[in-house]
Structures are given as structure tokens and as C-alpha cells.
Amino acid sequence: MAFLTKSKIDGDGTGHYPDERYPVRDNIYTAERIGPPAGHADVSSRIREAPPLVKKLAPGEREYLEAALRRKIDLRLLPMVVIIYIMNYLDRNNIAAARLAGLEDDLHLTGTQFSTAVSILFVGYLLMQIPSNIVLNKIEAAYFPGCLFYLSSWYTRKELGLRTAILFSGSLISGAFSGLIAAGITDGMDGVKNLRAWRWLFILEGVVTVIIAFGAYFILPDFPRTTTWLTEEERQLAAWRLEEDIGEDDWVDSGEQTLLHGLKLAVMDIKTWILMVMLFCIVASASVTNFFPTVVATLKYNNIQSLLLTAPPYVLAVITSFANAWHADRTGERYFHITLPFWVAVAAFILAAATTATGPRYVAMMLMVPGVYTGYVVGLAWISNTIPRPPAKRAAALAAINAVSNTSSIYASYMYPPSDGPRYVLAMAVNCGTALIAVISATVLRVILRNLNRRLDAGKYVSGAVGSREGVPGAAEKGFRFLL
């Protein structure tokens, strides 16, 4: 560890802060520093220059090459991660469809035994999320948080909202098609080879997932600096544009991405805890989707019709999620794109609990899924926007937030017993409450980020950010600011 002495121009460019020392590794300031050394004032990093192949590009030429690079990355990454997520979500949630296909009867489940089976499903899935996200190349127990970290290593903050929506569309598409697939299997394969339809549901979907996973190994790249299917110019541009966006290099070697260090930084950041509360409440409100076929069955149609009726709400959610995320990226705004859809969800929960009429209840079901998930995908992108660097901290925060948020699936499975149908008043009331807490949490986070941006405007040091006069030239010109 070495120390360099630097001076810093203050925020308005009129004066200088006292000379100070920052720790430096290999002439690059450590991305994981938490604040200035004890007893010293804030100072800046030295301004780093673009790599040679990027530096020589004219502005128009760079804009053209960056657009082409972005398309190339999109075509290579997004189709496969979405397909895998579709299968991931199908495999995790087909137990709800299996319930209507005879699982409870065949296994002689009574009382809360089915709910307990659903709860147990999530325990192992949740426990390994933090270590799997930190040691991404060695363990992958939790696909979704790993993908969030993966995408944030390829895309800038303003590109993440739409890409996160594209990723999460996998779950929404699977929600739409799971009912159709389950209906087809239940209607056409019940009794084939002396197996009930719910067994074929698990077998067929599991086999397809394994086959796709083998293909993904040869298609998905690692990270911008280590990808062989990009040219050297493209690799330099892919890494540099991320550095410009944040003001720090996203690439650190494995020795700097330690589990404990990244987790420690995430735990010490109040923003992590606020995001955790917000995402927990969002997922808790969305727990209705784990039992959506059961809720739709309260409309008193037969099992096949009930499974088919689960598809339209998810199709609508795909459309609204894409539109909302696209607009959030275009405007750079996050708060209202997250909170406004939740007021729709609250209205839907209230309507579902207030009436037993078929028409209004299905309208409520049509609005529940879009109401929750439209804001959720932007909320997921807000994590990486708010905790961008260093990578180990971002990975730990993503995994911890996702793990804690999904714990709601453990208790939520007990909120939808058949005896509470058709209105499920308790479940809908809890969903309303958690949705409102999510809105409050988002409001608190917005106030904090706005205050941090004011500190950056004043040229003051902010942990996890690069001030207006720090970092690389792009950050110096535009100034790093948290997205509100």
C-alpha cells in the first residue's frame, strides 16, 4: 500500500483543499475506500485518461461504435439470461400449478402441509445468495441476484432499468406461459406412463432447463475485460464507458473482491438497509403470484380454465414493465416509476378483498401483477444505481437485499389457505400494508439521495460516489449523481 499527496479544486473551482493522502494500489485509487483517512480532509483522485484505442476516436465515431457495441452485448447476453430465467421461474413456481393438477391428493397433503412444502423450497435458495454473488465464478445457487450483478458489470446506470426489465420479463413470461403449459399437460398427459399430470409438469420442465444450462456455458461471456468475442477496441470501450459513468474502474482482481470486505461495506451503508426494506415489502406484496392459480380458481371456473386465466395479467405486466423501465431510463428518474404503480396494486388488493363478483375480482387480478411488478423492475435497477462501486459491495448488497426480500415467500405461503377464499382478506390486507411501507421506504431513500447529491454539488466527499471534480474526464464533466 502506497500513499500519494494530491490537492483538490473545490466544487466551484475557486479554491483548494489542503493537501491530503489517499491509499493507492498500482497507481489507481482503491475503489473500495469508505472515506478520507482519519483526521484529514477530503481530496480527489487523479484524473485518469481513456485507453489508447478509445482516446483516438472522434466523438461521432465513438457514439456510433458505442451504439454498435451495446447492440452486440444485448444480442449476446439478454436472450440467454432471459431464457434461463424463464426456466428458473417455471421450475420454482410450478408447484402452484401442480396443486391444481393433483399434487395434494396424490401426496395426501392436509392442513398447512402444502404451505410448508412451499416455504421449505425457498430456504436453501435464500441461504446461498450472498456467497454465490460474491464468488460468482465458483458458486451459483441464486440465479437472479447473480444476473443483476452481471448486468451491472456490462451496462451503465441509465441503461440498467430497461435491461433489468428485459431480464425480469423472463419471470413474467413464465408466469403467462406456466398456466398455458400446465393446462396443456394437465389436459393431455394425465395418466401417460401411469404418471399423474403434476409429475410430468416437473419432469418436462426440469429436462428442458438442464439442456438450456449446458448451452449457456458456451454462449454467455464473463466480463468486459476478459471477453474473447469482443475486439480489443470493443473491450477497452466496454470497460471505459462504465468507468466514465461512475468515475471508477469496475474491474478489480479477485484478491480485492473478498466476501467479508464487500459484505462489510454493504452492511455499513444505510442505503443498503433502506433498499432491503423496500424490496422486502415489494416482494411481500407480490407473494400473491406464488398462489395466483389458487386465487384465480376462486372465480369458480374449472381447473383448465383457471390455469388459462392466469396468463393475461402476466402479459399485461410484461407490457407495462417494459414501458415503465424504458421511460425511467430515458428520463433518469426512479422514484415515481417505482411508487406510482404501487398505488394501482393497493387499489387492486382492496377491490379483490371487497367483492365476490366475478367481473370486478378478475379486474383486480388483472391489475395486481402489473401493479407490483411494473415498479419492481425499476426498483431492482435502483440498487445498482445507488450502490454502484466497488463491485464486491454491489454484489453483496444485491444478494443480501434479494435474499432478505424473498424471505417473505416463507411466511406468505401460509396466508392463502383455501378456507380464506374467495376474498383472502388477511392476505390482501397484508399486501396493502407492505406496498405502503415500500412507498415510504422509497420516499426516505429519495430524500437521502437528494441530500447526497447536494453534497456532491458542493464538492464534498460522499462515500460510494465520485464528486464533480474527481475521477475520469467523463465524470468530471458530467459529475456523478445518484439517480432519484
Side-chain angles (χ1 to χ4, degrees):
M1 182 73 72
F3 286 92
L4 295 182
T5 300
K6 294 285 178 181
S7 63
K8 173 181 177 179
I9 305 294
D10 66 11
D12 58 9
T14 59
H16 291 78
Y17 290 103
D19 286 350
E20 285 302 337
R21 299 185 302 167
Y22 270 131
V24 179
R25 276 197 195 99
D26 300 327
N27 294 326
I28 299 177
Y29 289 95
T30 56
E32 67 268 27
R33 70 173 184 264
I34 302 174
H40 298 280
D42 177 32
V43 297
S44 90
S45 307
R46 67 177 172 83
I47 294 179
R48 303 182 63 213
E49 293 186 350
L53 295 179
V54 176
K55 189 176 181 180
K56 71 177 185 179
L57 296 175
E61 185 180 10
R62 173 177 167 173
E63 183 178 349
Y64 173 80
L65 290 176
E66 188 166 349
L69 172 65
R70 192 162 47 244
R71 287 193 298 270
K72 190 173 183 179
I73 295 171
D74 285 342
L75 290 174
R76 184 70 179 234
L77 269 64
L78 296 179
M80 182 53 70
V81 298
V82 170
I83 290 171
I84 295 175
Y85 194 42
I86 289 174
M87 300 311 302
N88 173 283
Y89 204 81
L90 279 175
D91 292 340
R92 283 195 291 121
N93 291 277
N94 55 16
I95 191 171
R99 187 183 196 181
L100 298 184
L103 180 144
E104 276 188 302
D105 295 335
D106 281 7
L107 299 183
H108 308 293
L109 300 180
T110 59
T112 61
Q113 289 178 333
F114 178 82
S115 299
T116 302
V118 175
S119 296
I120 292 173
L121 171 69
F122 288 94
V123 174
Y125 177 76
L126 300 177
L127 290 177
M128 290 303 296
Q129 291 199 21
I130 296 177
S132 74
N133 235 30
I134 298 291
V135 196
L136 193 56
N137 293 326
K138 298 179 182 179
I139 304 172
E140 187 46 73
Y143 178 73
F144 188 60
C147 268
L148 293 177
F149 172 68
Y150 183 55
L151 292 180
S152 68
S153 299
W154 281 93
Y155 294 102
T156 64
R157 291 176 298 149
K158 288 192 175 182
E159 296 167 353
L160 268 180
L162 180 59
R163 273 70 184 185
T164 302
I166 292 173
L167 168 64
F168 197 73
S169 70
S171 75
L172 300 176
I173 292 170
S174 72
F177 282 98
S178 63
L180 301 179
I181 295 170
I185 293 175
T186 301
D187 187 49
M189 298 193 68
D190 195 20
V192 175
K193 300 295 182 180
N194 295 319
L195 295 177
R196 291 295 306 275
W198 67 269
R199 296 182 186 272
W200 281 115
L201 192 64
F202 289 126
I203 292 170
L204 294 178
E205 292 179 357
V207 168
V208 173
T209 300
V210 171
I211 294 173
I212 291 174
F214 277 115
Y217 177 81
F218 301 99
I219 295 175
L220 289 178
D222 290 327
F223 297 101
R225 291 181 185 272
T226 60
T227 295
T228 57
W229 51 268
L230 294 177
T231 65
E232 179 59 31
E233 182 180 55
E234 289 173 330
R235 281 195 292 271
Q236 290 186 14
L237 179 57
W240 180 250
R241 70 194 203 97
L242 296 176
E243 191 170 345
E244 277 187 317
D245 182 50
I246 300 298
E248 292 176 355
D249 193 353
D250 194 46
W251 176 260
V252 290
D253 61 42
S254 58
E256 295 181 43
Q257 296 195 71
T258 63
L259 168 63
L260 293 178
H261 184 63
L263 184 58
K264 178 182 177 183
L265 293 179
V267 168
M268 292 174 62
D269 193 335
I270 186 62
K271 298 190 295 295
T272 302
W273 296 99
I274 297 174
L275 285 163
M276 190 176 291
V277 172
M278 184 184 78
L279 268 294
F280 173 86
C281 291
I282 292 175
V283 175
S285 297
S287 64
V288 65
T289 61
N290 292 338
F291 291 85
F292 205 55
T294 300
V295 175
V296 175
T298 62
L299 297 176
K300 303 302 181 182
Y301 294 102
N302 64 42
N303 287 347
I304 301 299
Q305 292 171 326
S306 294
L307 290 170
L308 294 175
L309 285 171
T310 62
Y314 285 97
V315 173
L316 178 60
V318 171
I319 296 171
T320 57
S321 295
F322 272 118
N324 190 55
W326 175 82
H327 192 262
D329 278 358
R330 285 291 297 268
T331 61
E333 202 279 335
R334 292 292 183 259
Y335 171 76
F336 290 107
H337 289 83
I338 294 171
T339 57
L340 290 181
F342 270 92
W343 294 112
V344 176
V346 169
F349 294 138
I350 293 173
L351 179 60
T355 180
T356 57
T358 300
R361 283 183 60 76
Y362 193 65
V363 169
M365 294 171 194
M366 283 292 297
L367 296 177
M368 284 180 195
V369 180
V372 173
Y373 286 132
T374 298
Y376 180 47
V377 294
V378 180
L380 292 170
W382 210 15
I383 302 173
S384 295
N385 296 158
T386 303
I387 309 175
R389 298 296 184 270
K393 177 184 177 182
R394 184 174 78 245
L398 283 166
I401 291 168
N402 197 64
V404 171
S405 67
N406 278 282
T407 58
S408 61
S409 299
I410 297 175
Y411 76 79
S413 61
Y414 295 96
M415 294 199 309
Y416 296 89
S419 59
D420 279 8
R423 295 192 297 157
Y424 293 101
V425 175
L426 176 61
M428 298 304 164
V430 172
N431 293 340
C432 282
T434 51
L436 292 174
I437 295 173
V439 171
I440 293 171
S441 301
T443 304
V444 172
L445 182 61
R446 187 173 190 268
V447 171
I448 291 175
L449 295 181
R450 185 176 59 190
N451 290 337
L452 292 178
N453 282 345
R454 288 173 178 170
R455 288 179 58 84
L456 290 170
D457 291 338
K460 297 180 180 179
Y461 175 82
V462 172
S463 175
V466 177
S468 59
R469 295 291 179 179
E470 297 179 326
V472 296
E477 295 167 3
K478 297 178 291 184
F480 174 93
R481 294 298 182 272
F482 293 102
L483 298 183
L484 304 182

